[in-house]
Amino acid sequence: MDQTQQDQFADLPDSLRCTLQDGIAVLRLSRPDKRNALDDLTVRALGRFFDAPPAGTQAIVLHGEGEHFSAGLDLGSLTERDTEAGIFHSRAWHKAFERIEFGDVPVIAVLHGAVVGGGLELAASAHIRVAEATAFYALPEGSRGIYVGGGASVRLSRLIGVARMMDMMLTGRTYGAAEGVALGFSQYVVGHGEGLARGIALARRAAENAPLTNFAILQALPRIAQADPAAGLLMESLMAAIAQGSDEAKSRLRAFLEKRAEKVAHFP
Ligand code: 1HE
């Protein structure tokens, strides 16, 4: 890494590490001795990072150091917090994770080992999740006497359904990577140790899209999906027209018609 890049990451605490190569930023949760538990410093720094990724970043891959992606909220900090502080704490997580979900670039989370509580909430705010075979999902909030506060009620319930999330919280039910991919926890499942390479490959692929298309996918699609259908369809038409009218779309469509672009291919 050259000095310019080093300076770009000077803002990160010890619990986060970043490298940037060819437009792909790889951000690592780096507190393996505490199983990448998320303390206030780390959550705030995640918000800052995703709000303003290093110059030139086209996609971000988020992963965890050690045996686990993340053990969720740093439980050590919880005992001192009263109700009022609890509200602001949860809102700080919301703010930070919104910057992931509604940031400017695609975010791919690579999951392994424990993906629990706030760690699962963090993963759910990414756009694509790649799970290694060791990944498992849990919401231990129920047994700790607390409630999710990092957006799971909205984002995780959307991925796996309210009934499944209720079951996880009421009974402590957990899911592994293989069933997780079928149920919507992740879009991909890969072998042990293969997640980062797959995450980077997916990030590179997403970064090749036209910027306006990625804007539509990241900013418009999730909002359209939650809008009332009539407003959603109107928004879709507007977004489609805006994207089609761009020079980039015109040149990509011309390339296809002149047989210079790749065909769609399926590799089972
Ligand atoms: C922690 C945390 C943590 C580990 N906060 N320190 N999350 C949980 O309820 C999950 C709690 N953690 C676990 O169940 C296990 O640690 C794991 C299954 C994730 C990993 O097990 P293992 O055997 O590899 O590690 P360990 O021996 O349990 O933990 C190693 C150290 O990390 C140990 O500290 P040490 O000083 O004794 O070495 C643990 O105390 C520490 N550690 N997890 C603080 N979470 C916005 S609201 C979100 C609400 C939630 O996220 S609730 C879910 C909290």
Side-chain angles (χ1 to χ4, degrees):
M1 198 189 305
D2 66 25
Q3 189 55 44
T4 331
Q5 287 196 14
Q6 189 67 52
D7 292 345
Q8 285 177 333
F9 306 135
D11 201 22
L12 293 178
D14 289 347
S15 55
L16 292 173
R17 288 275 168 272
C18 182
T19 57
L20 176 64
Q21 201 175 6
D22 301 330
I24 309 300
V26 176
L27 184 65
R28 191 173 70 218
L29 303 174
S30 199
R31 211 183 162 209
D33 52 320
K34 294 290 176 193
R35 307 311 184 247
N36 298 323
L38 300 166
D39 57 10
D40 290 353
L41 192 70
T42 306
V43 171
R44 272 199 302 272
L46 282 168
R48 283 197 307 275
F49 182 86
F50 284 92
D51 191 35
T57 299
Q58 294 171 294
I60 298 171
V61 179
L62 174 68
H63 73 132
E65 187 176 340
E67 299 302 307
H68 304 281
F69 175 71
S70 172
L73 172 69
D74 187 330
L75 293 169
S77 62
L78 205 67
T79 44
E80 313 119 36
R81 206 172 291 134
D82 61 16
T83 300
E84 188 183 330
I87 292 174
F88 288 110
H89 176 260
S90 167
R91 296 304 284 163
W93 280 55
H94 289 168
K95 243 185 256 171
F97 291 4
E98 241 167 62
R99 306 222 150 111
I100 301 176
E101 184 181 7
F102 290 113
D104 292 333
V105 298
V107 179
I108 290 111
V110 174
L111 312 175
H112 72 297
V115 185
V116 307
L120 181 49
E121 296 183 294
L122 172 60
S125 62
H127 305 111
I128 296 177
R129 283 156 294 283
V130 176
E132 292 195 354
T134 55
F136 63 94
Y137 311 101
L139 291 173
E141 284 85 347
S143 61
R144 308 272 181 242
I146 54 177
Y147 183 67
V148 291
S153 313
V154 171
R155 295 194 188 94
L156 186 65
S157 65
R158 206 156 60 203
L159 292 177
I160 64 167
V162 172
R164 188 163 284 115
M165 185 172 157
M166 275 186 174
D167 182 26
M168 290 175 78
M169 294 196 73
L170 287 171
T171 70
R173 182 167 181 176
T174 61
Y175 289 95
E179 23 175 20
V181 72
L183 297 175
F185 286 92
S186 76
Q187 290 99 322
Y188 296 86
V189 64
V190 297
H192 178 52
E194 294 171 5
L196 188 56
R198 178 67 74 91
I200 292 172
L202 292 167
R204 283 197 200 296
R205 176 66 191 75
E208 285 170 9
N209 291 335
L212 201 49
T213 303
N214 276 355
F215 170 81
I217 295 167
L218 302 184
Q219 304 291 330
L221 172 58
R223 290 176 167 113
I224 291 171
Q226 289 177 84
D228 82 82
L233 291 173
L234 175 63
M235 268 197 275
E236 181 182 271
S237 296
L238 298 177
M239 194 63 248
I242 291 168
Q244 272 166 40
S246 68
D247 291 345
E248 179 75 21
K250 293 201 170 78
S251 103
R252 286 179 183 230
L253 294 172
R254 214 165 27 244
F256 175 76
L257 295 173
E258 292 168 1
K259 308 217 176 298
R260 289 182 285 111
E262 273 178 31
K263 289 188 197 179
V264 176
H266 179 59
F267 302 103

